[in-house]
Amino acid sequence: MSDPSSASTSARALEQVTFDEWPANVRALLDGSLLADKAGFTASLLTVDANGHVRTSLLSVGELYAPDSRTLCIALWPQARATRAIEQSGRAALSFVCDAAFYQVQLRVTPLPGVADDDSGLVYLLGSIDTAEAQSVRYAHLTGGITFALQGEGNAVLERWEQQVEYLKRAAAASSR
């Protein structure tokens, strides 16, 4: 007969995986394609401002693009607190839920020059993975994190996302030359 306390312990065991390259499922989520199908996904971008306060910006797939296995392009509004905090520290953390696991990725962030015909007013940033981990437990699967549903002008938002991600793709391609 097995020890019930050990079975209970293994059922609660935290599975933690560290990585320095985007797992395939996350890369597919952030590949800039099929944005309408991925609408509702939200990632929290965490920064620390000059006063030591943690700030959170909620980002969609229309503001994130992973051009390769180790980087993440981010589009932010210039007046966002996160933009100012990143300019000061060069660091941010991105957290989100994907495929029943919680992800937290520490990023080193630098400016990413925009594209010549980009009139969006957005600030583009290039993050590289510093450290990252995914956590899950066997007894419970995360079914979502912070999610949203587009309302009203949803089609206009999707069009804007398509354009933003296209700018991120072009800026990422230009920076790798």
Side-chain angles (χ1 to χ4, degrees):
M1 181 180 243
S2 65
D3 177 3
S5 64
S6 66
S8 175
T9 301
S10 68
R12 289 185 302 222
L14 174 68
E15 294 177 32
Q16 189 169 15
V17 176
T18 59
F19 57 92
D20 60 3
E21 292 189 0
W22 297 115
N25 62 330
V26 174
R27 184 97 186 269
L29 176 66
L30 302 176
D31 68 0
S33 70
L34 305 170
L35 298 180
D37 294 344
K38 300 171 185 176
F41 168 82
T42 307
S44 295
L45 184 72
L46 304 166
T47 56
V48 178
D49 68 18
N51 296 321
H53 298 126
V54 175
R55 302 296 183 184
T56 303
S57 295
L58 300 178
L59 304 177
S60 69
V61 291
E63 295 148 328
L64 302 168
Y65 168 62
D68 59 48
S69 65
R70 294 180 184 261
T71 57
L72 181 69
C73 297
I74 305 167
L76 292 176
W77 293 106
Q79 67 273 21
R81 293 181 295 191
T83 304
R84 291 190 303 274
I86 289 170
E87 286 172 353
Q88 294 166 355
S89 70
R91 306 211 34 100
L94 189 76
S95 60
F96 56 92
V97 172
C98 179
D99 293 340
F102 173 75
Y103 287 81
Q104 187 161 56
V105 183
Q106 302 294 321
L107 298 166
R108 290 183 305 266
V109 185
T110 59
L112 178 63
V115 185
D117 63 346
D118 173 22
D119 60 356
S120 69
L122 295 171
V123 171
Y124 298 114
L125 304 168
L126 181 66
S128 58
I129 297 173
D130 185 18
T131 62
E133 63 184 30
Q135 299 177 4
S136 62
V137 292
R138 288 185 282 273
Y139 65 87
H141 291 286
L142 294 173
T143 57
I146 300 168
T147 58
F148 65 93
L150 292 174
Q151 309 225 340
E153 300 175 15
N155 287 336
V157 170
L158 286 171
E159 287 176 25
R160 186 181 79 235
W161 285 359
E162 294 284 349
Q163 186 176 43
Q164 287 173 189
V165 170
E166 189 56 38
Y167 289 140
L168 286 172
K169 288 178 180 180
R170 287 196 271 164
S175 76
S176 66
R177 290 183 194 145

